[in-house]
Amino acid sequence: MVADSNWIHREPPNDPVSGFGIGNVAVAGRGRVVAEQQLGPLFADHRGRIDLAALAVLFDHLGGLPYFRSGPTTTPCVQARLSMAMQGHVGIDDRITATADLMMRDDSFGSTRVDIATSTGHVCCTGTARNVAVGRSYDEAPSKAPGLGPTPSSAYTHGVDLPPAIDPHLSGREIIEQIASGALAAGPIVDLLNGRVALTDHDRAAGVQFTVTTEPWMGNLFGTMHGGVIASVAAQACSFAGQANAAAGVDYQLGDLAIGFLRSPAVRGTDVVVEVVPIKVGRRIASFEATMRAQDGLLLSTATADVVYR
């Protein structure tokens, strides 16, 4: 039986920021910007969990704003690289707060530290963003940048059901095989990203191929895919690879993701494909390499990730 998906009954978001429940973006001091994200079942994975993929748009979007605001005039910029590390679990319904601090800047580059905290003040994700100034023009004026309004309410993020519990006797490989066949739900965040997964074999370990069909709402102010969406897609692909190599009954989390942005794809309905291959799979940690390519094979981004097993 094919697993049901509620996302097909929802209207597409307007942009990545509102689509991921982000708002109340504000300047909090010289070189500091803050924002909130309302979580909910909409951003849960196949286990009904909030993992790194759900936080990537917030991390990326806020990571560029301090450098953007740092010059005598606003500086068009993109992220060259993100390094994210999870610091524990996040509640499914939490409202999290991100703080981005500009660490260095010159006319060409900036570096920003990003910390994301739960509603109880626990720092759940930390890392850095490397900013680079660009000569491109915006599709729309920066004054229209998303996130300046109130944080979306939980009514938006609760528009879907959490996936049913997974049989603990299934191995991780069996779970991915059943998601690929439609027998298990892929998770609301995968539906949001228009994603589908397939298993690949690499010696004695498993990899995955994660394919996403782009939509206009995934775009940034330049009209190409938002870096946070790229990171979210890569993170979810690596999470599926972590699941594919888990023993039955073993829990896991995507602990670390470092992603470099090489090119940003168009968001006009074509596919992007993430290939995740295992580097080393151990009992406690599995390491993976991921590459994202456009439909014509053009390399878009590269990433490395560590999955931790418990």
Side-chain angles (χ1 to χ4, degrees):
M1 183 176 76
V2 176
D4 291 333
S5 170
N6 290 14
W7 177 252
I8 60 175
H9 304 298
R10 298 171 60 89
E11 291 296 323
N14 293 321
D15 55 72
V17 176
S18 62
F20 273 79
I22 298 165
N24 284 338
V25 176
V27 177
R30 184 174 177 83
R32 170 172 284 191
V33 180
V34 299
E36 294 179 334
Q37 181 180 6
Q38 177 61 57
L39 299 174
L42 179 60
F43 311 119
D45 64 11
H46 61 289
R47 303 166 296 170
R49 300 273 189 85
I50 296 294
D51 210 338
L52 193 150
L55 311 185
V57 172
L58 174 64
F59 192 102
D60 175 271
H61 187 70
L62 208 64
L65 288 177
Y67 180 65
F68 170 76
R69 296 185 53 86
S70 66
T73 58
T74 51
T75 304
C77 64
V78 296
Q79 316 297 27
R81 176 170 291 274
L82 300 180
S83 298
M84 304 175 63
M86 293 295 288
Q87 310 295 341
H89 289 293
V90 183
I92 192 73
D93 293 321
D94 210 342
R95 178 172 287 213
I96 56 179
T97 300
T99 303
D101 290 296
L102 187 66
M103 307 303 292
M104 65 79 62
R105 77 164 307 281
D106 58 31
D107 290 342
S108 300
F109 298 100
S111 180
T112 305
R113 175 187 170 94
V114 181
D115 296 305
I116 302 176
T118 67
S119 57
T120 63
H122 168 69
V123 175
C124 59
C125 182
T126 61
T128 57
R130 179 70 66 184
N131 321 124
V132 56
V134 296
R136 287 185 280 170
S137 61
Y138 294 111
D139 270 15
E140 58 179 312
S143 61
K144 298 180 182 178
L148 300 179
T151 306
S153 71
S154 59
Y156 167 71
T157 62
H158 281 68
V160 299
D161 298 326
L162 288 174
I166 297 174
D167 183 348
H169 297 98
L170 292 175
S171 69
R173 183 185 182 91
E174 291 170 328
I175 290 170
I176 297 302
E177 287 175 339
Q178 292 198 24
I179 291 173
S181 71
L184 283 178
I189 193 170
V190 176
D191 295 333
L192 175 63
L193 294 171
N194 293 326
R196 49 199 184 274
V197 66
L199 196 69
T200 60
D201 285 313
H202 300 270
D203 296 327
R204 289 176 292 179
V208 301
Q209 181 183 83
F210 187 54
T211 303
V212 165
T213 301
T214 65
E215 288 189 3
W217 73 264
M218 299 176 178
N220 55 24
L221 292 174
F222 298 108
T224 57
M225 185 177 279
H226 190 286
V229 176
I230 294 174
S232 181
V233 169
Q236 185 56 50
C238 292
S239 174
F240 276 147
Q243 177 69 90
N245 289 280
V250 172
D251 193 17
Y252 78 94
Q253 183 179 43
L254 185 60
D256 298 275
L257 179 76
I259 182 167
F261 303 111
L262 306 178
R263 301 170 183 86
S264 185
V267 286
R268 302 190 185 95
T270 56
D271 288 347
V272 295
V273 180
V274 181
E275 295 280 355
V276 185
V277 299
I279 302 171
K280 180 182 178 182
V281 177
R283 189 168 60 92
R284 294 293 187 185
I285 294 179
S287 298
F288 299 93
E289 289 182 342
T291 55
M292 177 185 287
R293 295 183 183 274
Q295 201 165 351
D296 62 2
L298 181 67
L299 182 62
L300 302 171
S301 69
T302 60
T304 58
D306 285 346
V307 170
V308 295
Y309 296 110
R310 300 185 187 280

